[in-house]
């Protein structure tokens, strides 16, 4: 067992490595009443094509299978896993993202009993032809529900506008057509490939005994041998966006929109990924943050409201920035954003704004450390990218004015941007006539 203490953040982390490749982390939070435990695999919706670690054959499975697996693991031969957690007072759940699947629980009592349940059910899949067919109907309903969800629709429409080939553009749950192709054999194939301990980590955050956590894992490990790394195959992606505008009509009171910028500089070493991420966040805060004149002017004109915001998704295989919310005139907001970016590029950024933006980004990062769930999930995301979340504070402080100015000028390019809009069903607009 290794102990690391961060002198800046005053955070204590314990690490244990196992012979099968699994790593476990305990982020010690003294006097916290709530504890989080997550069992995560580096496997998400974009991983539909890969080289089998043992046969070395190229395998391609239907879209949506990672999400399908997440659903099915909670089903057991003798009932439902949620009932087992409820017995010990825990709230359990899971989620599938583009690159990860995470199973977790949060509890204020009976931590070790709940921890054993987590370790047990994630390592014991139960798939039959019958329960797989039944799940197709359930997930099909979920896909239809999300297709009618304006926020979900405007988001994935944006990804479809940004990307030509990258599977990040495909709904995490797959499509109605793709899930019909999923078989019990597909599920076991992907489970045995991606749910191997060498592709997984366990993260615990709370006032728990690290040694007891690691001993429990050792006792309950099902797979003992190591597996070689999984080679994932992604299609080539052009630098250009797929289309400049994508629109839909749904039942919304006010139009909602996202403007996206496609980032083509992706496959960097972990340290450079951290720096690019931080520089983009600071640059975006300088351009569009709620303390800027730009935000204030749009708000006063009624072009945006408090839902206006932005995020940057930074991965080795794809990266994109998105900004949006609700607006009576999304196309005018798009025009003003591009105009504002070009104006700032010509005039340069203000040093006082840079310092303010750095403080905002630092504060946002530090707040995660007060929430076991947010901290643990962010830790998982960062770890699978080869990044140490505890390094962010040091690196945010090291970012210079010149770095951010350079990043802003290079990245925010109108030619790499597009807009996704969901209009109210009854609203007439020229672009859709």
């Amino acid at each position: 067992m290794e102990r690391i203490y961060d002198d800046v953040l005053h955070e204590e982390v314990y690490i244990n490595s196992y012979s099968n490749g699994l790593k476990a982390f305990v982020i010690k939070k003294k006097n916290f009443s709530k504890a989080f435990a997550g069992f995560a695999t580096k496997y998400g919706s974009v991983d539909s094509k890969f080289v089998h670690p043992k046969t070395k054959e190229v395998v391609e499975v239907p879209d949506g299978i990672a999400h399908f697996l997440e659903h099915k693991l909670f089903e057991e031969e003798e009932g439902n896993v949620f009932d087992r957690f409820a017995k010990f007072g825990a709230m359990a759940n899971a989620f599938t993202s583009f690159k990860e699947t995470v199973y977790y629980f949060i509890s204020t009592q009976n931590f070790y009993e709940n921890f054993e349940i987590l370790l047990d059910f994630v390592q014991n899949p139960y798939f039959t032809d019958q329960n797989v067919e039944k799940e197709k109907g359930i997930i099909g309903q979920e896909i239809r529900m999300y297709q009618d969800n304006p926020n979900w629709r405007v988001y994935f429409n944006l990804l479809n506008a940004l990307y030509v080939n990258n599977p990040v553009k495909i709904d995490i749950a797959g499509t109605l057509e793709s899930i019909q192709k999923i078989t019990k054999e597909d599920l076991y194939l992907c489970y045995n490939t991606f749910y191997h301990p060498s592709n997984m980590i366990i993260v615990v955050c709370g006032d728990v005994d690290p040694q007891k956590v690691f001993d429990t894992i050792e006792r309950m490990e099902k797979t003992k041998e190591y597996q070689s790394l999984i080679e994932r195959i992604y299609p080539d992606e052009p630098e250009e966006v797929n289309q400049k505008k994508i629109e839909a009509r749904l039942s919304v009171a006010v139009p909602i929109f996202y403007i996206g910028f496609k980032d083509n500089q992706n496959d960097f070493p972990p340290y450079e990924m951290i720096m690019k991420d931080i520089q983009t966040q600071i640059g975006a805060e300088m351009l569009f943050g709620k303390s800027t004149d730009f935000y204030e002017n749009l708000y006063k004109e009624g072009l945006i409201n408090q839902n206006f915001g932005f995020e940057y998704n930074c991965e080795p295989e794809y990266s994109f920035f998105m900004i949006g919310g609700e607006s009576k005139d999304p196309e005018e907001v798009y025009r003003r954003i591009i105009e504002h970016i070009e104006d700032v590029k010509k005039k340069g950024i203000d040093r006082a704004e840079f310092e303010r933006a750095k403080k905002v980004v630092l504060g946002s990062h530090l707040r995660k450390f007060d929430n076991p769930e947010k901290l643990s999930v962010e830790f998982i995301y960062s770890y699978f990218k080869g990044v140490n979340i505890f390094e962010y504070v040091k690196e945010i402080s090291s970012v210079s004015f010149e770095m951010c100015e350079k990043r802003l000028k290079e990245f925010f390019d109108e030619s790499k941007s597009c807009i996704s809009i969901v209009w109210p069903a009854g609203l007439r607009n020229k672009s859709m006539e």
Side-chain angles (χ1 to χ4, degrees):
M1 179 173 67
E2 179 185 1
R3 176 185 178 271
I4 297 175
Y5 183 78
D6 190 292
D7 292 322
V8 176
L9 294 167
H10 304 293
E11 293 288 344
E12 190 177 22
V13 184
Y14 294 83
I15 307 168
N16 203 46
S17 301
Y18 300 84
S19 59
N20 57 16
L22 179 69
K23 277 200 168 185
F25 303 84
V26 174
I27 305 170
K28 182 76 172 178
K29 289 287 190 179
K30 293 180 180 178
N31 302 318
F32 270 52
S33 60
K34 184 187 293 184
F36 172 99
F39 203 163
T41 173
K42 187 180 179 181
Y43 175 47
S45 64
V46 301
D47 299 315
S48 57
K49 191 173 184 180
F50 55 93
V51 176
H52 194 287
K54 293 182 179 178
T55 68
K56 304 305 178 184
E57 295 178 353
V58 175
V59 177
E60 188 163 8
V61 294
D63 292 321
I65 201 163
H67 173 260
F68 205 108
L69 264 173
E70 177 217 311
H71 272 232
K72 291 311 302 169
L73 275 190
F74 280 99
E75 186 172 343
E76 301 177 301
E77 188 170 6
E78 297 180 357
N80 191 297
V81 175
F82 292 109
D83 295 334
R84 295 168 63 190
F85 280 111
K87 180 180 176 182
F88 291 103
M91 191 286 289
N93 211 333
F95 64 86
T96 304
S97 66
F98 298 125
K99 302 294 294 289
E100 303 87 10
T101 307
V102 182
Y103 302 84
Y104 67 91
F105 72 84
I106 300 168
S107 69
T108 57
Q109 57 184 333
N110 304 315
F111 173 82
Y112 298 101
E113 291 85 349
N114 286 307
F115 189 53
E116 290 193 11
I117 296 171
L118 178 70
L119 297 177
D120 177 54
F121 90 85
V122 174
Q123 295 185 92
N124 288 287
Y126 172 66
F127 312 136
T128 67
D129 293 328
Q130 292 75 22
N131 69 26
V132 170
E133 285 303 310
K134 179 182 176 183
E135 198 66 37
K136 289 178 182 179
I138 296 170
I139 294 179
Q141 288 180 338
E142 184 178 330
I143 291 171
R144 292 186 188 93
M145 178 185 72
Y146 279 116
Q147 283 296 312
D148 291 331
N149 182 305
N151 293 306
W152 191 261
R153 185 79 167 272
V154 75
Y155 180 81
F156 273 96
N157 278 0
L158 179 73
L159 295 182
N160 272 275
L162 283 170
Y163 291 97
V164 178
N165 300 317
N166 196 294
V168 72
K169 67 186 289 185
I170 300 168
D171 192 314
I172 289 170
T175 66
L176 293 172
E177 294 74 26
S178 70
I179 63 168
Q180 292 304 318
K181 300 174 184 176
I182 294 173
T183 65
K184 174 185 70 177
E185 288 72 26
D186 291 330
L187 294 176
Y188 275 116
L189 169 64
C190 291
Y191 179 88
N192 291 329
T193 300
F194 292 101
Y195 282 70
H196 190 279
S198 58
N199 192 54
M200 303 182 78
I201 62 171
I202 293 169
V203 177
V204 172
C205 184
D207 192 359
V208 298
D209 179 352
Q211 191 61 59
K212 189 171 181 179
V213 168
F214 298 146
D215 289 346
T216 303
I217 296 169
E218 182 82 46
R219 174 168 51 84
M220 296 192 67
E221 282 181 308
K222 185 176 179 182
T223 304
K224 301 298 181 183
E225 77 281 1
Y226 185 81
Q227 175 180 277
S228 60
L229 294 176
I230 305 160
E231 181 184 347
R232 301 148 206 264
I233 301 172
Y234 304 109
D236 292 333
E237 177 66 32
E239 289 192 5
E240 297 75 21
V241 298
N242 188 27
Q243 60 190 98
K244 291 295 290 183
K245 183 193 293 185
I246 186 166
E247 302 170 277
R249 291 187 184 277
L250 287 172
S251 180
V252 293
V254 180
I256 60 174
F257 72 100
Y258 275 130
I259 296 159
F261 289 83
K262 187 176 185 178
D263 193 349
N264 296 305
Q265 301 176 20
N266 297 321
D267 196 10
F268 291 128
Y271 169 76
E272 292 184 34
M273 290 286 285
I274 289 179
M275 296 304 289
K276 186 178 79 158
D277 188 3
I278 294 169
Q279 290 164 23
T280 307
Q281 290 182 52
I282 294 173
E285 181 62 35
M286 283 189 289
L287 286 170
F288 315 116
K290 292 189 177 181
S291 297
T292 62
D293 291 339
F294 177 75
Y295 176 93
E296 188 69 21
N297 291 335
L298 291 187
Y299 188 83
K300 285 180 178 178
E301 293 175 42
L303 284 170
I304 60 172
N305 58 27
Q306 290 184 342
N307 290 326
F308 186 76
F310 54 82
E311 67 175 71
Y312 180 55
N313 194 313
C314 182
E315 294 286 348
E317 294 77 28
Y318 58 85
S319 295
F320 58 89
F321 176 84
M322 55 195 299
I323 181 168
E326 298 176 342
S327 176
K328 62 184 181 183
D329 192 347
E331 290 163 311
E332 175 62 12
V333 176
Y334 186 19
R335 187 191 70 77
R336 295 275 287 273
I337 282 175
I338 297 300
E339 184 182 79
H340 176 56
I341 290 169
E342 293 307 311
D343 186 55
V344 172
K345 283 182 179 180
K346 289 176 185 175
K347 294 179 180 178
I349 59 176
D350 181 79
R351 287 186 179 273
E353 272 296 294
F354 166 71
E355 294 298 335
R356 180 198 64 80
K358 269 182 77 169
K359 290 177 182 177
V360 171
V361 171
L362 178 60
S364 176
H365 181 71
L366 290 175
R367 281 192 293 274
K368 295 171 185 174
F369 288 84
D370 293 326
N371 185 311
E373 181 180 354
K374 286 184 179 179
L375 174 58
S376 300
V377 170
E378 197 67 32
F379 184 98
I380 291 166
Y381 285 154
S382 298
Y383 178 84
F384 284 145
K385 286 191 284 190
V387 170
N388 179 355
I389 188 176
F390 298 100
E391 294 292 317
Y392 266 80
V393 170
K394 181 177 70 176
E395 302 309 338
I396 290 170
S397 301
S398 74
V399 170
S400 69
F401 176 87
E402 291 74 21
M403 287 177 183
C404 278
E405 189 168 50
K406 183 174 183 288
R407 175 63 176 159
L408 186 153
K409 289 179 178 179
E410 290 177 348
F411 174 53
F412 289 103
D413 184 344
E414 189 276 336
S415 69
K416 302 297 191 298
S417 71
C418 60
I419 185 169
S420 168
I421 307 171
V422 170
W423 301 97
L427 183 69
R428 291 175 62 82
N429 58 295
K430 292 181 180 179
S431 62
M432 292 193 70
E433 290 177 353

